[in-house]
Amino acid sequence: MTKEKIIKNIKENIKTIFNLNIKDIELDIPPQEKMGDYAFSCFNLAQQLKKEPKNLAEELKKKYQTSKLIKKVNNIGPYLNLFINPQE
C-alpha cells in the first residue's frame, strides 16, 4: 500500500463528485489510531469550491466511493478520515 495510491483514489473521488481536478493532496496521520489510518484536510478544497470545510468533509463522506484499498471513510470536523484495507 502506498500513499500515492491513496492520493490517486482521493483525486478520483473529487473528480467524480465535484467535477474538479485537484493537483496537490497532502495526507496527515490522525492523532488517534481509532480515527483512521490517514486524514485528508478539506480546507484548501473547500476554499476552491467556496464551501465550509466541515460541510465539505461531510459531503465527501456521504458520496465517497470506497474501494479494495479504502474500506471506509469518516469525517471528523473538516477532515475526511480514511481507513485502509490492510490486505491491499
Side-chain angles (χ1 to χ4, degrees):
M1 170 202 42
T2 63
K3 276 180 116 173
E4 290 80 26
K5 286 182 183 178
I6 298 164
I7 289 170
K8 181 180 178 200
N9 184 277
I10 294 169
K11 286 180 178 182
E12 288 170 354
N13 269 278
I14 290 170
K15 173 71 174 162
T16 300
I17 297 167
F18 300 111
N19 195 27
L20 178 69
N21 288 315
I22 187 167
K23 290 182 181 180
D24 297 321
I25 289 183
E26 290 188 28
L27 294 177
D28 299 315
I29 304 293
Q32 297 175 4
E33 193 173 306
K34 68 180 180 180
M35 297 170 88
D37 297 300
Y38 291 97
F40 167 61
S41 166
C42 293
F43 291 106
N44 289 338
L45 181 60
Q47 190 175 25
Q48 285 182 287
L49 294 171
K50 297 182 180 11
K51 296 181 179 226
E52 288 292 322
K54 183 178 175 185
N55 295 343
L56 179 64
E58 190 173 323
E59 185 177 353
L60 273 171
K61 176 193 170 197
K62 290 178 183 175
K63 296 178 179 178
Y64 202 94
Q65 296 294 311
T66 56
S67 64
K68 286 194 279 182
L69 176 63
I70 298 172
K71 64 180 177 181
K72 180 176 125 179
V73 296
N74 194 17
N75 68 298
I76 298 176
Y79 291 89
L80 182 71
N81 291 19
L82 302 110
F83 295 83
I84 307 305
N85 188 347
Q87 283 81 31
E88 287 301 308

